[in-house]
Amino acid sequence: KEGLNIVEIRKESHSAKDSGTRPVFNQLIIDIKSGKFTGIICWAPDRLSRNAGDLGRTVDLMDQGYLIDIRTHGQRFTNNPNEKFLLMILGSQAKLENDHKGENVKRGLRAKCEQGWRPGVSPVGYIHDKYLNKGQKKVFLDEEKAPVIKEMFEKVAYDGYSGRDIYIWLVKERDFKTKNNKRLALSRIYKILKDTYYYGEFEYPIGSGNWYQGKHDPIVTKELFLKSKANLQASPKRYPGTKEFDFTQLMFCGKCGSGICAEEKFKHQKNGNTHRYVYYHCSKGKDRFCKEKAIREEELIKQLIQMIDKIDIDEISAQDKIKKEVMRFRKFSYGVFGQ
């Protein structure tokens, strides 16, 4: 209509709330400074900026003579004091409206919390009322999943289950899946067992220290939750110091490809002698249900000795390691067992 030369059309869906965070807009400023463009067409001034930083950069381009013209639907801004002043007023008004919207949203969320309903998606074991308006949907127990969630807490509290034990139990005995037909990840299980929402209280936002009493029906009692939490956070028994085993970093499980871990056991005889045994087994890092059995260190080294005659040791990186361990075992065997 006005005979303008449209050099390029650029679109961006990134929010204009914060300054300097929009990659397309930042590149536009660079291109204007380089002389690629001399004007901008957009629907309204608030499409250019709703923050003081980007607004100031735009007006500075006008002051420096790089940006000659800005056109919107029904308005035009040039390097004129009155027009630049109007542009800044409209941009500031857009920022004010944006800030008010943020405050209104926070106020609405706070009011919802005070009414006893936690904002956001309901956790596993609960469902939202489908027929109420958005923001007014109440939360009800999921009759199918809620009993399983309660049983999870009971197994941790009374049977000493760990998070991994719960995972295996859900897969093998319950075939438990979410509403999206997916398995609960191990991290999700721990998150459930630590969520106070299940006994009727919730914090919002997380880490704010603002606690509310929910109107939803709790799945577990507070006493059960605290007992489960205490058992879940109990420190496992550990031997003092760090145990190092010779083959844990050298081998992998031949069945599932997981790493190898080891543990030592001591047998005390009546005559006062003590025997130490080291067992290597699959860590089950890649397959939690790997059924590969453990093997004693002595048996493992015997198999390695048998392999030496069949394998070109130069072709594997473990040459020195294997020789060292074979000699160590032989010295140990002759010194302790006399054989």
Side-chain angles (χ1 to χ4, degrees):
K1 178 182 176 180
E2 299 184 15
L4 299 175
N5 178 30
I6 307 300
V7 180
E8 197 171 305
I9 296 176
R10 296 186 179 182
K11 297 180 180 180
E12 187 169 38
S13 59
H14 198 287
S15 173
K17 177 183 177 182
D18 299 321
S19 63
T21 59
R22 294 178 291 165
V24 176
F25 179 82
N26 291 338
Q27 186 60 44
L28 177 64
I29 297 297
I30 295 173
D31 291 340
I32 291 175
K33 283 187 176 181
S34 67
K36 187 174 182 179
F37 309 120
T38 57
I40 300 175
I41 297 177
C42 60
W43 179 253
D46 63 355
R47 298 300 89 193
L48 285 178
S49 171
R50 294 199 304 277
N51 64 79
D54 290 346
L55 180 60
R57 294 165 68 189
T58 305
V59 175
D60 283 343
L61 290 176
M62 285 186 160
D63 291 338
Q64 297 169 15
Y66 295 110
L67 185 57
I68 299 174
D69 199 353
I70 295 178
R71 300 198 186 191
T72 67
H73 179 68
Q75 288 179 303
R76 181 178 181 180
F77 305 94
T78 61
N79 191 14
N80 177 285
N82 292 332
E83 293 178 359
K84 287 190 293 183
F85 179 67
L86 178 60
L87 175 63
M88 295 183 70
I89 289 178
L90 294 175
S92 300
Q93 182 181 8
K95 174 173 172 52
L96 178 64
E97 292 176 355
N98 192 79
D99 291 344
H100 281 321
K101 287 180 180 179
E103 291 297 325
N104 290 336
V105 169
K106 291 178 182 178
R107 184 180 62 185
L109 294 176
R110 186 166 58 250
K112 186 174 182 179
C113 290
E114 291 172 352
Q115 293 173 5
W117 306 108
R118 187 174 75 176
V121 179
S122 56
V124 181
Y126 291 93
I127 54 175
H128 274 110
D129 189 336
K130 300 179 180 180
Y131 303 103
L132 291 177
N133 296 327
K134 185 176 181 180
Q136 300 177 348
K137 295 181 179 180
K138 296 182 179 180
V139 179
F140 300 97
L141 290 175
D142 187 329
E143 296 182 356
E144 178 183 353
K145 295 181 173 59
V148 180
I149 298 296
K150 182 178 181 181
E151 198 169 353
M152 287 171 54
F153 281 93
E154 291 174 341
K155 286 189 174 296
V156 174
Y158 303 127
D159 298 335
Y161 273 41
S162 65
R164 191 174 295 277
D165 294 332
I166 293 294
Y167 177 88
I168 297 174
W169 172 73
L170 289 175
V171 172
K172 286 190 171 183
E173 298 187 26
R174 290 296 184 178
D175 193 27
F176 187 84
K177 295 181 181 179
T178 64
K179 61 182 179 181
N180 297 324
N181 200 33
K182 294 183 178 180
R183 301 282 187 193
L184 279 179
L186 184 60
S187 59
R188 185 84 177 276
I189 292 174
Y190 279 107
K191 188 175 181 180
I192 289 174
L193 294 172
K194 295 177 181 179
D195 194 345
T196 60
Y197 189 86
Y198 289 101
Y199 75 78
E201 295 181 3
F202 62 90
E203 182 187 22
Y204 191 87
I206 299 296
S208 65
N210 299 324
W211 288 87
Y212 302 91
Q213 183 65 43
K215 283 190 176 180
H216 60 282
D217 295 327
I219 292 180
V220 299
T221 63
K222 188 173 183 177
E223 291 73 20
L224 176 59
F225 175 85
L226 293 176
K227 185 173 179 60
S228 171
K229 183 179 179 180
N231 287 351
L232 201 64
Q233 294 178 342
S235 299
K237 295 182 179 179
R238 298 179 183 274
Y239 292 103
T242 301
K243 294 291 183 181
E244 293 185 1
F245 298 95
D246 297 303
F247 297 110
T248 53
Q249 302 296 325
L250 181 63
M251 301 179 179
F252 297 90
C253 176
K255 186 172 184 179
C256 69
S258 301
I260 296 297
C261 58
E263 58 181 315
E264 61 180 359
K265 295 184 180 296
F266 296 90
K267 184 176 181 181
H268 303 281
Q269 295 182 326
K270 294 181 179 180
N271 59 8
N273 294 335
T274 300
H275 296 277
R276 174 181 176 270
Y277 301 96
V278 177
Y279 294 88
Y280 289 86
H281 58 85
C282 176
S283 64
K284 301 182 180 181
K286 293 185 178 181
D287 182 3
R288 295 186 178 93
F289 308 107
C290 180
K291 297 181 180 179
E292 195 66 31
K293 296 181 179 180
I295 182 173
R296 277 179 57 178
E297 187 178 56
E298 294 84 355
E299 180 61 30
L300 179 61
I301 294 178
K302 288 180 181 178
Q303 293 184 16
L304 288 174
I305 293 174
Q306 295 174 0
M307 292 173 58
I308 289 178
D309 294 334
K310 301 178 182 179
I311 299 178
D312 185 358
I313 299 299
D314 293 331
E315 294 181 358
I316 60 177
S317 60
Q319 177 183 9
D320 294 336
K321 182 79 171 178
I322 293 177
K323 287 183 177 179
K324 176 183 175 182
E325 293 307 315
V326 170
M327 294 301 297
R328 184 188 66 81
F329 174 71
R330 284 177 176 173
K331 291 180 180 179
F332 174 79
S333 179
Y334 283 119
V336 177
F337 302 106
Q339 57 181 7

